[in-house]
Amino acid sequence: MPDSGGRKTAWGTSVVSLQEMETRARAGEYDGFWEHDMSKVEKDLNLMILNAIFYFNRSHPVYKAARRLHAATTEMQNQWDSMLVCRVCRQGDEAETLPVCDNCCTGLHESCWDQELE
């Protein structure tokens, strides 16, 4: 995934903006297997929020907007987590009992691991 033409923040993270995310979406970088690609969207959005919170002081409007966006995305993530399905058997489960991959944000029952390895 491109990182805004190689641009980096002063603290070394990639520069991400909503415009950059739109460019990536139009280029098809978020297309494909939905769970994996949602994690790309989530990573970009979280990085954009982190950069804004880290860079701007607490009284700045961008900092405040980033905190509101973080709260809203956290709420949406919690709702999404409650709708997880196993990527092998496609059965839903409670988020607490369905292990979720930190890398691709997909669920996988322990009983389905062997099937995944085949």
Side-chain angles (χ1 to χ4, degrees):
M1 180 179 307
D3 57 348
S4 299
R7 293 183 304 146
K8 299 284 186 181
T9 63
W11 47 94
T13 62
S14 296
V15 173
V16 179
S17 66
L18 291 175
Q19 182 178 6
E20 177 68 22
M21 290 179 70
E22 179 182 16
T23 300
R24 291 175 183 179
R26 289 184 188 279
E29 294 181 36
Y30 299 136
D31 294 345
F33 187 60
W34 77 269
E35 291 98 342
H36 176 69
D37 295 314
M38 283 306 296
S39 69
K40 291 179 188 177
V41 171
E42 182 183 358
K43 285 178 185 178
D44 281 352
L45 187 60
N46 285 339
L47 182 56
M48 181 180 66
I49 292 168
L50 172 74
N51 285 342
I53 290 171
F54 187 79
Y55 182 76
F56 294 98
N57 69 46
R58 291 176 185 240
S59 63
H60 197 282
V62 172
Y63 175 91
K64 292 176 182 179
R67 295 300 279 183
R68 287 191 306 272
L69 185 57
H70 179 260
T73 57
T74 299
E75 182 179 331
M76 289 300 297
Q77 180 69 34
N78 291 338
Q79 291 175 11
W80 180 72
D81 284 346
S82 69
M83 298 183 293
L84 282 174
V85 296
C86 175
R87 69 177 178 232
V88 173
C89 71
R90 309 307 287 171
Q91 297 297 309
D93 213 334
E94 294 296 318
E96 298 82 36
T97 59
L98 183 65
V100 177
C101 175
D102 289 334
N103 186 42
C104 67
C105 296
T106 60
L108 182 63
H109 291 114
E110 288 183 37
S111 59
C112 295
W113 286 354
D114 290 336
Q115 295 173 33
E116 175 75 5
L117 296 174
E118 293 175 355

